[in-house]
Amino acid sequence: MATIKDIGLSAVINVLGAIAFLLAFAFLRLQPINDRVYFPKWYLKGARESPSHGGTFVRKFVNLDMRSYLKFLSWMPAALKMPEDELISHAGLDSAVYLRIYLVGLKIFAPISILAFSVLVPVNWTNDSLEFSKVQHSNIDKLSISNIPVGSKRFIAHLTMAYVFTFWTCYVLLHEYEIVAQMRLRFLASEKRRPDQFTVLVRIIPPDPDESIGELVEHFFLVNHPDHYLTHQVVYNANKLAKLVKEKTKMQNWLDYYQLKFERNASKRPTTKTGFLGCFGAKVDAIEYYKSEIERIENEEAEEREKIVKDPKSVVPAAFVSFRSRWGAAVCAQTQQTSNPTVWLTEWAPEPRDVYWDNLSIPFVSLTVRRLIVAVAFFFLNFFYVIPIAFVQSLANLEGIEKAVPFLKPLIEIPTIKSFIQGFLPGIALKIFLILLPSILMFMSKVEGLTSISSLERRSASKYYIFIFFNVFLASIIAGSALEQLKSYLHQSANEIPRTVGEAIPMKATFFITYVMVDGWAGVAGEILRLKPLVIFHLKNFFLVKTEKDREEAMDPGSIGFDSNEPQIQLYFLLGLVYAAVTPFLLPFILIFFGFAYIVYRHQIINVYNQEYESAAAFWPSVHGRIITALIISQLLLLGLLSTKGAGQSTPVLLVLPVVTFYFHKYCKNRYEPTFVKCPLQEAMKKDTLERAREPGFDLKGYLMNAYIHPVFKGDDDDEKFSIADEPEAEQVLVATKRQSRRNTPVPSKYNGSDSPSLPEIVNDQRL
């Protein structure tokens, strides 16, 4: 069990590590050779030029201006200077609202920390209950609720603070929800024209024996949305073609590498082996080999491209349908299209760069099966991850280590080594075990069949949060307290075990303190150093880069990583809210995280990250919901904890809090969430009217024509390489159809799923 000395050693190690990262960053970012690594966003915007173009040879690589090194912390105030409106214009609303999550943490926990240390710490400290307890403890635990004797009236202070913390948290969340909702509405109102504002994704298009998918979509929307339908783009199963394009790009990179190698040493032709990773197989001329491979792939690509265009089976029952106005798109996206609610399903289309094309070709009927399989796999992943978590907790238990490896006992008993093991090792071990988890969860989300990158990240974030709650939070508490108090459990009656657990749970705050310092202090400092992108950029720049375009691709600034970063932030909300009334000593460590991370990520968003998509803060309801969940969990755990401390009479008083919090969440959900999932028709009409007045002759059809074509159909120099065939004229009044039932009888097609009038009625109506 970690003591104050152990926590102090861990703090020294992590603070020194964070300072080392910050100093390394301050030095490396000033070097001209690293400019594209630490300021890639400005290069992508065309607002920055490489400082290595001019001057002496040395100045192209090293900054010789000594005065610039004196301002090594200037990036911190610079990161805070940009106003929020300018930040939204520069980086988008998603990035700006993401930063507000850190501000919410500061707003919630700064007053809570002051109150907790003013009221609860003196109440806890001025007791001696742990002195006469069989539970193993340290001096830190005397600041926790465990130090209050059973049945004490001092628990009134904790009850009162629980109410204060709850109402303050709800007030901050309500205020913030309203601010973000207004930011979203202003952003959508001021945003320039985008294809997704006029487009709807249609899925489960029912088959028709007489018409292709494209003809069926055109006919359906000309009939049912005659005044608003503009054009459509059917969805092709181009996954195989996408793999060929990706493989060709890979081969081209190798060809560029070997050609550059040959240019540097023309006396010797480079060679490679044809087997796995170029390590096995026959040795061949590398340049000729990769040229032949590229030619082979190009031939396969051309065949696959032609097959996709001509084969009706390559068209999946989905389409992007565009309308003449935002109002028309909003009506279609937010209404039921037929009397059969299982076909012609419509939803807002993601913006083109947000579309996850691989999942559009998945049959809709298989999605339920896929989600069931993923749910089962996720359950077992949670279940089996308890094993490494228990191992991490065993690191904090010196007795367990000494029994497992008795020959290390003399070494472990050295005070510095002992403090290192208890104060630093568990946190870093847990961090290592969680490294691969976001990639695994993202793969699971992709298997589920979601059609946009933003929805994939939100779903993956949800899984990650559930995983963190059960495996990092609950499993650490249960496994850790069981390992630490095993001797107490073995020497007391079964009736006393719940009370022992109740006393031991607050003491796990020391483990979470070590984790916060590793992940939230040193980890955040490591984020700004960007060591991995730095190494990768210089390797690519040395071996592969030949043109400015190659250099831009080598920069790869990446994005925020909402799927992994946001759940980690939520862990700090959970820990802070749970331990605020239990072990307030944890709160300052969390406050430092929120403040430091806010500055670091603001700098990264301004200078580094290039967000893949813009969802206009569609993730905020999930953020709000997870903080509310953490608040309710903290209330329930406090209720259970007090029941083990002989304060059962407080149960009715505490039961009010989860109920009030739940209804507060319902109010926020009903009041604000529609702003994040629907488009108000009034706002859509207002923007349409303004746009028609300002640009009366704008060619909207030409603008939308190829917006939702699969990227593999677009050439580098010719975005019109693939276009919609047989596009109807905008002024067409006849609803062309090949369906025999429409030609011969007014009875609706049994495949169509609609009660639309027959063709003669439509023609007569449109001629009036």
Side-chain angles (χ1 to χ4, degrees):
M1 181 177 293
T3 63
I4 291 181
K5 181 181 177 181
D6 301 334
I7 296 297
L9 178 63
S10 179
V12 169
I13 293 174
N14 284 287
V15 168
L16 290 177
I19 292 174
F21 287 145
L22 292 176
L23 289 176
F25 163 71
F27 174 79
L28 291 173
R29 78 183 184 94
L30 295 175
Q31 310 312 313
I33 195 174
N34 299 325
D35 204 55
R36 288 179 178 269
V37 177
Y38 293 110
F39 302 96
K41 188 157 192 167
W42 297 102
Y43 281 92
L44 294 175
K45 285 179 171 286
R48 192 179 181 96
E49 294 183 357
S50 176
S52 62
H53 286 321
T56 63
F57 179 78
V58 176
R59 288 183 180 274
K60 293 181 179 181
F61 300 96
V62 181
N63 183 359
L64 299 179
D65 182 7
M66 294 297 107
R67 290 177 298 178
S68 62
Y69 293 99
L70 299 177
K71 302 177 181 179
F72 66 95
L73 291 178
S74 61
W75 64 270
M76 289 188 176
L80 299 173
K81 281 182 181 179
M82 183 178 285
E84 190 170 60
D85 290 341
E86 186 178 343
L87 181 66
I88 293 172
S89 177
H90 172 70
L93 185 63
D94 280 344
S95 299
V97 172
Y98 174 80
L99 289 174
R100 294 196 72 89
I101 303 176
Y102 295 104
L103 287 180
V104 169
L106 290 172
K107 291 177 182 178
I108 289 176
F109 291 114
I112 285 179
S113 299
I114 295 172
L115 280 174
F117 272 81
S118 301
V119 178
L120 296 183
V121 168
V123 169
N124 296 336
W125 178 260
T126 54
N127 284 278
D128 55 1
S129 178
L130 287 176
E131 295 294 334
F132 305 99
S133 173
K134 297 180 181 179
V135 176
Q136 297 183 25
H137 63 277
S138 67
N139 289 334
I140 295 176
D141 301 320
K142 294 180 180 180
L143 302 175
S144 74
I145 198 173
S146 298
N147 198 35
I148 297 181
V150 175
S152 173
K153 293 183 178 180
R154 296 194 177 202
F155 289 122
I156 295 175
H158 299 82
L159 288 174
T160 304
M161 287 297 100
Y163 269 85
V164 173
F165 297 163
T166 295
F167 288 132
W168 172 249
T169 303
C170 289
Y171 170 76
V172 172
L173 289 177
L174 178 66
H175 182 64
E176 203 66 24
Y177 215 146
E178 186 172 356
I179 290 175
V180 175
Q182 291 299 322
M183 290 172 65
R184 175 179 168 88
L185 290 175
R186 286 198 305 270
F187 179 79
L188 294 175
S190 62
E191 196 176 22
K192 295 180 180 179
R193 184 186 291 108
R194 282 194 342 194
D196 54 294
Q197 297 169 349
F198 301 87
T199 307
V200 168
L201 175 60
V202 184
R203 306 187 74 178
I204 312 191
I205 300 172
D208 192 289
D210 302 314
E211 292 185 335
S212 66
I213 295 293
E215 293 166 340
L216 188 59
V217 169
E218 175 193 335
H219 180 256
F220 180 86
F221 284 94
L222 279 172
V223 168
N224 296 290
H225 298 266
D227 298 326
H228 303 285
Y229 168 75
L230 180 61
T231 185
H232 72 276
Q233 174 60 59
V234 295
V235 176
Y236 293 89
N237 184 353
N239 290 350
K240 183 178 179 181
L241 179 59
K243 290 179 181 178
L244 290 172
V245 172
K246 186 177 180 180
E247 185 181 359
K248 186 177 76 172
T249 302
K250 180 181 176 182
M251 294 297 177
Q252 186 64 51
N253 288 337
W254 278 112
L255 177 61
D256 292 342
Y257 166 72
Y258 283 112
Q259 284 179 334
L260 185 62
K261 187 176 181 180
F262 181 63
E263 289 173 6
R264 291 175 177 173
N265 184 12
S267 62
K268 184 180 179 181
R269 296 278 295 185
T271 60
T272 187
K273 292 184 178 181
T274 58
F276 180 71
L277 294 178
C279 300
F280 305 96
K283 184 180 288 188
V284 296
D285 184 286
I287 295 177
E288 295 301 324
Y289 171 73
Y290 284 109
K291 281 184 178 179
S292 64
E293 285 295 298
I294 291 172
E295 185 178 354
R296 175 186 62 81
I297 295 171
E298 284 178 344
N299 293 333
E300 292 182 15
E301 185 182 329
E303 292 176 6
E304 182 66 19
R305 199 181 294 268
E306 185 177 358
K307 177 184 175 182
I308 290 173
V309 174
K310 293 184 177 180
D311 187 2
K313 293 182 180 179
S314 298
V315 181
V316 300
F320 291 99
V321 179
S322 298
F323 295 82
R324 300 178 187 277
S325 64
R326 295 174 181 82
W327 189 92
V331 170
C332 181
Q334 297 167 184
T335 55
Q336 181 175 314
Q337 301 305 306
T338 72
S339 58
N340 182 356
T342 63
V343 296
W344 294 102
L345 301 185
T346 57
E347 60 185 85
W348 279 107
E351 62 167 319
R353 58 180 179 160
D354 189 22
V355 177
Y356 188 70
W357 295 95
D358 291 354
N359 283 354
L360 288 176
S361 59
I362 298 174
F364 197 86
V365 292
S366 70
L367 294 182
T368 303
V369 177
R370 283 169 167 261
R371 286 168 185 169
L372 176 61
I373 293 173
V374 169
V376 173
F378 181 63
F379 170 79
F380 282 104
L381 179 67
N382 269 283
F383 182 79
F384 286 109
Y385 233 85
V386 171
I387 298 172
I389 296 299
F391 169 74
V392 169
Q393 289 301 321
S394 70
L395 294 176
N397 182 20
L398 293 181
E399 291 184 2
I401 297 177
E402 290 172 355
K403 288 181 180 178
V405 280
F407 61 89
L408 291 179
K409 184 175 181 180
L411 179 65
I412 293 174
E413 291 299 327
I414 297 175
T416 304
I417 301 297
K418 183 178 180 181
S419 297
F420 176 81
I421 292 174
Q422 292 189 314
F424 180 74
L425 195 58
I428 194 67
L430 180 58
K431 179 71 175 175
I432 292 171
F433 276 120
L434 295 177
I435 286 177
L436 294 177
L437 188 62
S439 299
I440 297 172
L441 298 180
M442 177 56 75
F443 172 76
M444 287 183 170
S445 298
K446 289 177 179 178
V447 171
E448 286 185 289
L450 300 173
T451 57
S452 67
I453 299 172
S454 57
S455 61
L456 283 171
E457 291 200 344
R458 291 197 295 272
R459 182 66 64 87
S460 184
S462 178
K463 289 186 180 70
Y464 198 8
Y465 179 73
I466 294 171
F467 183 92
I468 284 177
F469 172 70
F470 283 105
N471 281 279
V472 177
F473 181 70
L474 284 185
S476 294
I477 287 177
I478 295 171
S481 62
L483 288 169
E484 289 174 355
Q485 310 303 330
L486 185 59
K487 186 182 293 185
S488 299
Y489 293 162
L490 295 176
H491 295 86
Q492 63 183 244
S493 65
N495 295 333
E496 294 294 320
I497 291 179
R499 180 174 297 175
T500 304
V501 173
E503 292 177 341
I505 285 177
M507 301 177 190
K508 289 308 299 175
T510 55
F511 166 74
F512 291 119
I513 288 172
T514 64
Y515 179 75
V516 169
M517 288 189 290
V518 170
D519 181 68
W521 295 9
V524 171
E527 159 66 28
I528 202 169
L529 181 59
R530 304 195 78 225
L531 187 59
K532 180 181 175 182
L534 178 69
V535 173
I536 291 175
F537 171 77
H538 286 302
L539 288 175
K540 288 183 176 180
N541 192 41
F542 183 78
F543 290 110
L544 300 176
V545 169
K546 296 194 297 182
T547 65
E548 281 300 315
K549 183 178 180 181
D550 294 337
R551 190 167 284 107
E552 284 187 7
E553 291 177 354
M555 286 192 300
D556 188 23
S559 57
I560 293 172
F562 180 84
D563 58 313
S564 57
N565 286 337
E566 192 270 344
Q568 288 280 34
I569 303 172
Q570 293 297 336
L571 174 62
Y572 296 106
F573 279 104
L574 177 63
L575 294 176
L577 291 171
V578 166
Y579 281 98
V582 175
T583 310
F585 188 72
L586 179 65
L587 292 176
F589 297 89
I590 292 177
L591 265 180
I592 292 173
F593 159 75
F594 278 116
F596 183 44
Y598 175 73
I599 297 174
V600 167
Y601 279 96
R602 210 173 199 274
H603 173 275
Q604 298 296 80
I605 284 171
I606 292 173
N607 298 298
V608 179
Y609 295 140
N610 186 41
Q611 194 65 8
E612 291 182 75
Y613 58 84
E614 178 58 63
S615 69
F619 57 81
W620 188 258
S622 300
V623 173
H624 175 89
R626 285 194 267 273
I627 298 176
I628 289 291
T629 301
L631 186 58
I632 293 176
I633 289 170
S634 70
Q635 295 159 355
L636 295 177
L637 287 179
L638 181 62
L639 189 152
L641 183 60
L642 290 180
S643 67
T644 67
K645 301 285 287 184
Q649 67 275 11
S650 65
T651 299
V653 180
L654 269 178
L655 276 176
V656 175
L657 284 180
V659 176
V660 170
T661 306
F662 175 75
Y663 277 98
F664 166 76
H665 176 60
K666 284 194 67 176
Y667 168 77
C668 292
K669 187 179 180 69
N670 294 333
R671 172 64 181 85
Y672 297 111
E673 190 170 315
T675 303
F676 294 83
V677 295
K678 296 180 180 179
C679 175
L681 294 180
Q682 182 185 24
E683 298 297 321
M685 180 61 77
K686 185 188 299 183
K687 194 157 188 179
D688 286 334
T689 304
L690 288 172
E691 205 166 79
R692 280 194 293 265
R694 291 170 180 170
E695 301 177 80
F698 182 77
D699 182 14
L700 184 61
K701 185 175 181 180
Y703 173 72
L704 298 171
M705 179 73 73
N706 294 325
Y708 284 95
I709 288 178
H710 197 294
V712 296
F713 291 121
K714 294 184 178 182
D716 293 335
D717 303 317
D718 183 12
D719 285 348
E720 304 296 328
K721 189 172 183 178
F722 184 83
S723 59
I724 302 170
D726 303 324
E727 184 65 31
E729 295 296 328
E731 294 79 19
Q732 184 174 354
V733 294
L734 295 178
V735 183
T737 180
K738 296 179 181 179
R739 190 179 299 124
Q740 296 297 323
S741 62
R742 293 293 183 188
R743 293 177 178 176
N744 304 326
T745 175
V747 177
S749 168
K750 64 179 180 179
Y751 296 99
N752 188 34
S754 70
D755 295 325
S756 305
S758 60
L759 179 61
E761 294 175 307
I762 298 171
V763 173
N764 292 334
D765 180 66
Q766 291 188 359
R767 287 176 176 173
L768 290 177

